[in-house]
Amino acid sequence: MSHALRLHATGQLTALLCVIVLSTQVDAPTALATWWVALTTSQAVLLIMAHPPTWWQGGAPLRDPLLRHYFSAASALIGGGTWGTLPLVLPSDAPALALATQYAVLGGVTLAGASILSSSRTAFAVFITATLLPLFIQTLADPPPALPHGSLLLGLFVLFALVLNSLLHSTHRRVVRRRSRGATQLEAQQLMLDNAREAIVLTHGHRIQRWNRSFADVMRLPHHAARHRSLRHCLADPEDWQRHARAALEAFDRGTTYQGVTRLRRRDGSDFWAEISGRRIVTGTSRLQAVWVAADISNRLREDARDALAHNQLRKLVEQSSDWYWQTDCEHRLMHIVHHRAGGDERLCRNVGRTWWQFPRSDRSPGLSGTQLREIFEGRQGFRDLRVTVPDGMRPPLHLHLSGTPRLDDHGAFAGYHGTATDVTEQIRSTERIHHLAYHDHLTGLPNRRLLSDRLNQAIAQARRNRERVGIILLDVDDFKRINDLAGHSTGDQILMEIADRLRHAVRSCDSVARLEGDAFVILLPGLDQLQDAEQVAAKVLTALHEPIQRPFPRSPLGASIGIALFPEDADTAAGLLDVADMRMQRAKRRGGQRIEG
């Protein structure tokens, strides 16, 4: 609000100076006073529009972006229109100093508007039009003797003001985006930290710099009291601090994550057991920076004692599971694999001594390589549902979902992983069958229209890059409806499967044969040199189809109407090629069938 008041005070001062100077040059006190009153009123209206009172807003601030845009344009129109009426106040025979004052004031107001309205190009365009249009029309209609080319200079000044506003607008947007991005990133990072269950702190040296809400809660600290607190004071035993500090530095030098178990002390003096892990942050400074994560495991340790009492019952439950239980040593080699169910599958047990990343990755695991799987294990973090494929000799491979957590020895050192492996082979096969049915014809096994469209779009894209041609052959069996009517749909299905088999053998391995619907088939020919190549394939197909079918109708040949379309000569899209090929196929059918139209 104070900024708006200073802005309008500056406008009032400019208007008063303008009125004082012009009153000494022209004899129009009433017109100047009226103009000054109108300007003062418009500025008061603009001040109210910029900061409307709560009773005018209905008790809520103006937040609708579209309405705020209209308010900005209306404000620019009101402010610019009031300043723009200044040339109408001066008489046509005003002296040169009055005209110069008029040009200087309106020019200065325009340049000021370019800065003030830098957040909106539309508002400035409205402002400069309302401010300078009357002066431009007056200068164009009646050029002043002292400035005969005033309209041209005024137009150049308008262009300069628009360019200046555009530059200021770009700078304004960059600054707003940079500030918003930085604030959003800090807020998002802190939100992520506060939503984590584990206590997380960022340290410089051994001093705490940032922390999350869980750390303040578990240590029972006020939210502000953790800054610059030493990690040494968080441990209950000073000897533990020395031991963990040395081990952590050794792990950081190796570039690995340090993990351990120790007792932490809260601010009120109470102790609890915690599992801690730390990772060094690589920065450009020489000072050590690390991220530490701590989890209260006091309840878990107490529960472990209770769980030992129920070990036999738990073992009986595990024996009913169909999953494998596995363990690795500290080098991640499988050392123990158990399948508890009696008479269970022992295929995985033959792989003791191997590491999990030595198994081939599943094709359904995007972006997961043996190196990435190794990094997951060497990161010593827990994981769930990691897909692994295990070869099984001559039988289909075994697909597993792997879940595992790190194991620690009595001293808190990493001892390997343990977890479960769930057989998901049947689910994956079912998914693959569903995927195949979605993209293939259920009768002939050929690609359907969806898969054909994908392959055709890919072939066209590749042809554009390599400046090649793509051919489409669309064929429709002649009088196929008569075969269905006379011999039945079962016989018709057998003939369609025979046609599909003949088409497969009549094309190259890089070509694609698809069934659209009914007795309509399409052959995709990528990488063609000329139309004659497609015509040769079509002639070969027509000859193959004309061979008599031995069953169910002995010695009964088939005829077909064929249409050919070529990219890019006939069309440059997949749909366009199919339409052209269909049109030519229909023309071949109208001309009696058993012919090729290209």
Side-chain angles (χ1 to χ4, degrees), residues 141-203:
D142 186 14
L147 196 62
H149 301 291
S151 59
L152 178 60
L153 296 177
L154 190 60
L156 294 176
F157 177 77
V158 168
L159 291 178
F160 168 74
L162 290 174
V163 171
L164 177 62
N165 175 259
S166 179
L167 294 175
L168 294 175
H169 177 74
S170 301
T171 304
H172 174 80
R173 291 189 61 184
R174 284 197 298 270
V175 171
V176 170
R177 282 199 300 266
R178 190 181 304 114
R179 291 178 179 175
S180 176
R181 191 183 307 116
T184 302
Q185 288 178 352
L186 289 176
E187 183 179 355
Q189 291 172 2
Q190 190 62 44
L191 183 62
M192 291 173 62
L193 291 175
D194 289 340
N195 286 332
R197 291 185 177 181
E198 295 82 4
I200 304 175
V201 294
L202 171 67
T203 60

Side-chain angles (χ1 to χ4, degrees), residues 375-538:
E375 291 176 355
I376 292 175
F377 272 85
E378 292 181 347
R380 299 182 181 181
Q381 301 294 324
F383 53 82
R384 291 178 56 85
D385 297 333
L386 183 66
R387 186 175 297 175
V388 177
T389 303
V390 180
D392 193 23
M394 300 301 295
R395 292 190 297 178
L398 184 66
H399 298 280
L400 302 175
H401 270 178
L402 210 62
S403 299
T405 56
R407 295 187 300 113
L408 303 177
D409 60 17
D410 295 337
H411 302 288
F414 178 73
Y417 270 93
H418 66 155
T420 59
T422 305
D423 187 358
V424 293
T425 305
E426 290 303 321
Q427 294 93 312
I428 292 177
R429 291 177 182 172
S430 299
T431 303
E432 291 174 348
R433 285 193 294 269
I434 293 173
H435 183 269
H436 183 272
L437 291 175
Y439 288 92
H440 292 79
D441 177 50
H442 70 281
L443 177 64
T444 62
L446 294 176
N448 58 15
R449 183 184 292 272
R450 182 186 299 176
L451 183 54
L452 172 67
S453 178
D454 291 343
R455 291 183 178 179
L456 182 53
N457 284 322
Q458 293 176 7
I460 290 176
Q462 184 175 0
R464 282 196 179 101
R465 291 192 299 268
N466 300 334
R467 296 184 178 181
E468 296 176 342
R469 291 180 173 84
V470 177
I472 284 291
I473 297 177
L474 193 151
L475 64 92
D476 188 88
V477 181
D478 296 334
D479 297 328
F480 187 77
K481 183 177 182 302
R482 178 173 172 273
I483 296 176
N484 276 335
D485 293 340
L486 294 178
H489 290 281
S490 176
T491 301
D493 290 346
Q494 296 181 30
I495 293 177
L496 288 176
M497 289 188 288
E498 174 68 22
I499 293 173
D501 189 60
R502 292 188 182 188
L503 293 179
R504 288 190 190 99
H505 290 85
V507 298
R508 304 170 299 177
S509 59
C510 62
D511 301 333
S512 297
V513 181
R515 181 189 178 197
L516 296 184
E517 66 272 333
D519 57 335
F521 296 84
V522 172
I523 301 175
L524 169 62
L525 306 173
L528 294 182
D529 293 329
Q530 53 188 349
L531 177 62
Q532 287 75 10
D533 297 337
E535 292 175 345
Q536 291 177 3
V537 176

Side-chain angles (χ1 to χ4, degrees), residues 81-191:
T82 308
W83 284 102
T85 56
L86 180 60
L88 305 179
V89 175
L90 300 181
S92 58
D93 57 347
L97 181 58
L99 295 178
T101 302
Q102 171 186 257
Y103 276 92
V105 168
L106 294 183
V109 168
T110 301
L111 294 179
S115 176
I116 297 171
L117 301 175
S118 61
S119 61
S120 174
R121 292 175 178 171
T122 303
F124 180 68
V126 173
F127 177 79
I128 195 173
T129 301
T131 303
L132 297 181
L133 184 60
L135 179 61
F136 180 78
I137 294 175
Q138 187 183 68
T139 306
L140 187 64
D142 186 14
L147 196 62
H149 301 291
S151 59
L152 178 60
L153 296 177
L154 190 60
L156 294 176
F157 177 77
V158 168
L159 291 178
F160 168 74
L162 290 174
V163 171
L164 177 62
N165 175 259
S166 179
L167 294 175
L168 294 175
H169 177 74
S170 301
T171 304
H172 174 80
R173 291 189 61 184
R174 284 197 298 270
V175 171
V176 170
R177 282 199 300 266
R178 190 181 304 114
R179 291 178 179 175
S180 176
R181 191 183 307 116
T184 302
Q185 288 178 352
L186 289 176
E187 183 179 355
Q189 291 172 2
Q190 190 62 44
L191 183 62

Side-chain angles (χ1 to χ4, degrees), residues 294-309:
D296 186 353
I297 60 172
S298 300
N299 293 333
R300 191 175 72 189
L301 293 179
R302 289 191 292 267
E303 290 172 359
D304 288 344
R306 291 193 297 266
D307 290 344
L309 299 177

